[in-house]
Amino acid sequence: FYSTKSLNNLTSLAQYASRKKEKQDIIYYLAGDSKEVLYKSPLLQKLISKGIEVLLLDDPIDEYCMNSLSEFDKLKVQNAAKGEVKYFEDEEEAKKKLTKLEEMYKPLTEWWKKYLGKKVEKVEVTTRLTDSPCAISTSEYGYSANMEKISRSQAFSSQDKMGAYLLARKTLEINPGHPICLLYTSPSPRDQRGSRMPSSA
């Protein structure tokens, strides 16, 4: 596979494991159309900034294979677009900080979930973004957005025929440090921005 530390040369799982961070117990990967697009994904911003390598899977068959590989050399294998991401630092301090941010952004996340309705499963504050205001991730136990895209592209597939288990359970993650998001931290987002709030969202 290509990776965030090896865009021009292929790397193996064994090579990845040999250069992981000291406390790292997870092999991260992200699947999509091309390594260039994957490298620029908002979902990888924090991981890259922390020096955590992510495998870039640009062949449709890759994610099928990785889904059946839960562990390699005692390292968990995880899709960076699904579920919670760890940075192998002081987890307790990070959780305390996140709890404070969740309370600060609660009016916004509750309003946004109500506005988007069934389009997303939930809206939450994230630590995985550094530059982007928001991004879409998926549930750890559901289809990834890339797998849903592949399923939709099958000749026999249609929205009506696809079962619920084939649809990615999307989470809208917002960056609490981004200037755009900071604009909407008043007790009532609608009171602050009025009728412009839906268009901004």
Short mmCIF file of all heavy atoms in Angstrom, two decimals, residues 101 104-105 108 133 174-186 192-193:
data_model
loop_
_atom_site.label_atom_id
_atom_site.label_comp_id
_atom_site.label_asym_id
_atom_site.label_seq_id
_atom_site.Cartn_x
_atom_site.Cartn_y
_atom_site.Cartn_z
N LEU A 101 -15.36 20.96 25.64
CA LEU A 101 -15.73 21.45 24.32
C LEU A 101 -17.12 20.98 23.93
O LEU A 101 -17.90 21.71 23.30
CB LEU A 101 -14.70 21.00 23.28
CG LEU A 101 -13.33 21.67 23.37
CD1 LEU A 101 -12.34 20.96 22.46
CD2 LEU A 101 -13.44 23.14 22.99
N MET A 104 -19.57 23.16 25.60
CA MET A 104 -19.54 24.49 24.98
C MET A 104 -20.31 24.51 23.66
O MET A 104 -21.00 25.48 23.34
CB MET A 104 -18.08 24.88 24.75
CG MET A 104 -17.87 26.19 24.03
SD MET A 104 -16.10 26.51 23.79
CE MET A 104 -16.14 28.01 22.80
N TYR A 105 -20.20 23.42 22.91
CA TYR A 105 -20.82 23.36 21.59
C TYR A 105 -22.16 22.62 21.59
O TYR A 105 -22.73 22.39 20.52
CB TYR A 105 -19.87 22.66 20.60
CG TYR A 105 -18.83 23.58 20.02
CD1 TYR A 105 -17.61 23.77 20.66
CD2 TYR A 105 -19.07 24.29 18.84
CE1 TYR A 105 -16.66 24.63 20.14
CE2 TYR A 105 -18.13 25.15 18.30
CZ TYR A 105 -16.92 25.32 18.96
OH TYR A 105 -15.98 26.18 18.45
N LEU A 108 -25.05 24.12 19.52
CA LEU A 108 -24.83 24.01 18.08
C LEU A 108 -25.03 22.58 17.58
O LEU A 108 -25.71 22.36 16.57
CB LEU A 108 -23.42 24.48 17.71
CG LEU A 108 -23.02 24.33 16.24
CD1 LEU A 108 -23.97 25.12 15.33
CD2 LEU A 108 -21.58 24.77 16.02
N PRO A 133 -13.38 23.04 8.91
CA PRO A 133 -14.40 23.30 9.93
C PRO A 133 -15.20 22.06 10.31
O PRO A 133 -15.67 21.93 11.43
CB PRO A 133 -15.29 24.36 9.29
CG PRO A 133 -15.10 24.16 7.82
CD PRO A 133 -13.67 23.74 7.65
N ILE A 174 -17.46 18.36 13.96
CA ILE A 174 -17.11 19.78 13.80
C ILE A 174 -15.83 20.08 14.57
O ILE A 174 -15.55 19.51 15.63
CB ILE A 174 -18.26 20.70 14.28
CG1 ILE A 174 -18.57 20.48 15.76
CG2 ILE A 174 -19.50 20.47 13.45
CD1 ILE A 174 -19.59 21.46 16.30
N ASN A 175 -15.05 20.98 13.99
CA ASN A 175 -13.76 21.37 14.55
C ASN A 175 -13.97 22.53 15.53
O ASN A 175 -14.26 23.65 15.10
CB ASN A 175 -12.82 21.79 13.42
CG ASN A 175 -11.46 22.23 13.90
OD1 ASN A 175 -11.17 22.26 15.08
ND2 ASN A 175 -10.60 22.58 12.95
N PRO A 176 -13.82 22.32 16.84
CA PRO A 176 -14.09 23.38 17.82
C PRO A 176 -13.11 24.54 17.77
O PRO A 176 -13.37 25.61 18.32
CB PRO A 176 -13.97 22.63 19.16
CG PRO A 176 -13.02 21.51 18.88
CD PRO A 176 -13.35 21.08 17.47
N GLY A 177 -11.97 24.35 17.09
CA GLY A 177 -10.99 25.42 17.01
C GLY A 177 -11.06 26.24 15.75
O GLY A 177 -10.29 27.19 15.57
N HIS A 178 -11.99 25.89 14.86
CA HIS A 178 -12.09 26.62 13.59
C HIS A 178 -12.90 27.91 13.77
O HIS A 178 -13.95 27.90 14.42
CB HIS A 178 -12.75 25.74 12.53
CG HIS A 178 -12.55 26.24 11.14
ND1 HIS A 178 -13.27 27.28 10.59
CD2 HIS A 178 -11.66 25.86 10.17
CE1 HIS A 178 -12.87 27.51 9.36
NE2 HIS A 178 -11.88 26.66 9.08
N PRO A 179 -12.44 29.03 13.18
CA PRO A 179 -13.14 30.31 13.33
C PRO A 179 -14.62 30.28 12.95
O PRO A 179 -15.45 30.92 13.60
CB PRO A 179 -12.36 31.24 12.38
CG PRO A 179 -10.98 30.65 12.33
CD PRO A 179 -11.21 29.16 12.40
N ILE A 180 -14.96 29.53 11.90
CA ILE A 180 -16.36 29.45 11.48
C ILE A 180 -17.22 28.82 12.57
O ILE A 180 -18.31 29.30 12.88
CB ILE A 180 -16.48 28.63 10.18
CG1 ILE A 180 -15.87 29.41 9.01
CG2 ILE A 180 -17.95 28.32 9.88
CD1 ILE A 180 -15.91 28.68 7.68
N CYS A 181 -16.73 27.74 13.17
CA CYS A 181 -17.49 27.07 14.23
C CYS A 181 -17.58 27.93 15.49
O CYS A 181 -18.60 27.91 16.20
CB CYS A 181 -16.85 25.72 14.56
SG CYS A 181 -16.86 24.55 13.19
N LEU A 182 -16.53 28.69 15.77
CA LEU A 182 -16.54 29.55 16.96
C LEU A 182 -17.61 30.64 16.87
O LEU A 182 -18.05 31.16 17.89
CB LEU A 182 -15.16 30.19 17.14
CG LEU A 182 -14.05 29.25 17.65
CD1 LEU A 182 -12.69 29.93 17.52
CD2 LEU A 182 -14.31 28.84 19.08
N LEU A 183 -18.03 30.97 15.65
CA LEU A 183 -19.07 31.98 15.48
C LEU A 183 -20.40 31.53 16.07
O LEU A 183 -21.24 32.35 16.43
CB LEU A 183 -19.28 32.29 13.99
CG LEU A 183 -18.17 33.09 13.27
CD1 LEU A 183 -18.47 33.15 11.78
CD2 LEU A 183 -18.07 34.50 13.86
N TYR A 184 -20.58 30.21 16.15
CA TYR A 184 -21.88 29.67 16.55
C TYR A 184 -21.85 28.99 17.92
O TYR A 184 -22.39 27.91 18.11
CB TYR A 184 -22.36 28.67 15.50
CG TYR A 184 -22.48 29.29 14.13
CD1 TYR A 184 -21.57 28.97 13.12
CD2 TYR A 184 -23.49 30.21 13.85
CE1 TYR A 184 -21.67 29.54 11.87
CE2 TYR A 184 -23.59 30.79 12.60
CZ TYR A 184 -22.68 30.45 11.61
OH TYR A 184 -22.78 31.03 10.38
N THR A 185 -21.20 29.63 18.88
CA THR A 185 -21.12 29.04 20.22
C THR A 185 -21.98 29.79 21.22
O THR A 185 -21.83 29.62 22.42
CB THR A 185 -19.66 29.03 20.72
OG1 THR A 185 -19.13 30.36 20.65
CG2 THR A 185 -18.81 28.09 19.89
N SER A 186 -22.89 30.64 20.75
CA SER A 186 -23.80 31.32 21.65
C SER A 186 -24.84 30.32 22.15
O SER A 186 -25.01 29.24 21.59
CB SER A 186 -24.51 32.46 20.93
OG SER A 186 -25.41 31.97 19.98
N GLN A 192 -28.42 33.93 17.26
CA GLN A 192 -27.23 34.67 16.89
C GLN A 192 -27.20 34.99 15.40
O GLN A 192 -26.85 36.08 15.00
CB GLN A 192 -25.97 33.86 17.23
CG GLN A 192 -24.67 34.62 16.91
CD GLN A 192 -23.45 33.82 17.27
OE1 GLN A 192 -23.53 32.70 17.73
NE2 GLN A 192 -22.29 34.43 17.07
N ARG A 193 -27.56 34.03 14.55
CA ARG A 193 -27.44 34.22 13.12
C ARG A 193 -28.78 34.33 12.38
O ARG A 193 -28.82 34.53 11.18
CB ARG A 193 -26.63 33.07 12.52
CG ARG A 193 -25.18 33.10 12.96
CD ARG A 193 -24.46 34.31 12.40
NE ARG A 193 -23.17 34.48 13.02
CZ ARG A 193 -22.35 35.50 12.78
NH1 ARG A 193 -22.72 36.45 11.96
NH2 ARG A 193 -21.18 35.58 13.39
#
